[in-house]
Amino acid sequence: MDSPALDLAQEPRLDGETLQQWVFRRLRRSVMAGRFPPGKAVTIRGLADALGVSSMPVREALRRLVAERALVLLDNRRVRVPEMTARRFEELMTARTLLECEAAARALAGADAAFIARLDALNGDSDAAVAAGDTEAMIETNLAFHGALYGGRADNVLLPLIESVWLQIGPFMRMALADLETHYPVDRHAQALAALRARDEAALRRAIEADIRDGIGHLLAQLG
């Protein structure tokens, strides 16, 4: 019997994008946004049906996601999120902190008024999602804010590395948001914006580190 269908991320197919590219991008975003729940196995056929495509592009997309350590392939043509331990999660948090603090610091050079205004608007979207209690929107707007902060340059090297870590943490974001008010009492995005306006690299690094710690650090106790 097939698993219930996943609620995959809505990613319209882009002009000039091949079917295989679109399937991979949509599945990758779905993992990153936490739409593959930990412990839930899904079939290649089920994913193909959800996407309205044949199994071939799904199989290729899953092969790439397995290579990125976002998923593991099971013996019965199913995939699931890899098991998470406290030690592995702590290493992923450390990787996030190192990469994202450096990426944010490097963004300072291009942080003009338009750049900051865009981030401010994205943070407003995030605040609105929190106020509405919309988990999907909270995750998507948080990804959008961080992606815009780190990915300002077309030749950016750090963002793809950061996204590879997000892929491995993403399935646990719903757990992290379960008690947001307790663990995330300070708006760290607002602190990052203030640091950008002041061109204060040290304050920006502190804001990003605190954002990661407050946002997901409390999961370590649950995984331990």
Side-chain angles (χ1 to χ4, degrees), residues 109-132:
D112 57 14
F115 181 83
I116 294 173
R118 183 185 176 208
L119 288 173
D120 199 29
L122 289 170
N123 192 44
D125 293 340
S126 183
D127 289 344
V130 172

Side-chain angles (χ1 to χ4, degrees), residues 16-81:
E17 189 174 38
T18 67
L19 180 64
Q20 193 170 70
Q21 289 170 333
W22 173 71
V23 167
F24 173 68
R25 186 169 61 83
R26 190 171 175 194
L27 289 178
R28 191 173 191 266
R29 187 67 175 190
S30 295
V31 175
M32 199 179 294
R35 292 172 183 261
F36 279 65
K40 178 180 178 179
V42 295
T43 65
I44 294 173
R45 186 186 68 187
L47 289 171
D49 289 346
L51 291 163
V53 301
S54 70
S55 295
M56 187 169 66
V58 173
R59 189 178 296 111
E60 173 59 21
L62 293 178
R63 183 191 66 78
R64 293 173 64 183
L65 289 168
V66 168
E68 289 193 77
R69 304 183 69 180
L71 298 170
V72 292
L73 184 63
L74 306 177
D75 291 338
N76 53 357
R77 295 171 59 83
R78 292 173 181 259
V79 293
R80 64 166 172 77
V81 171

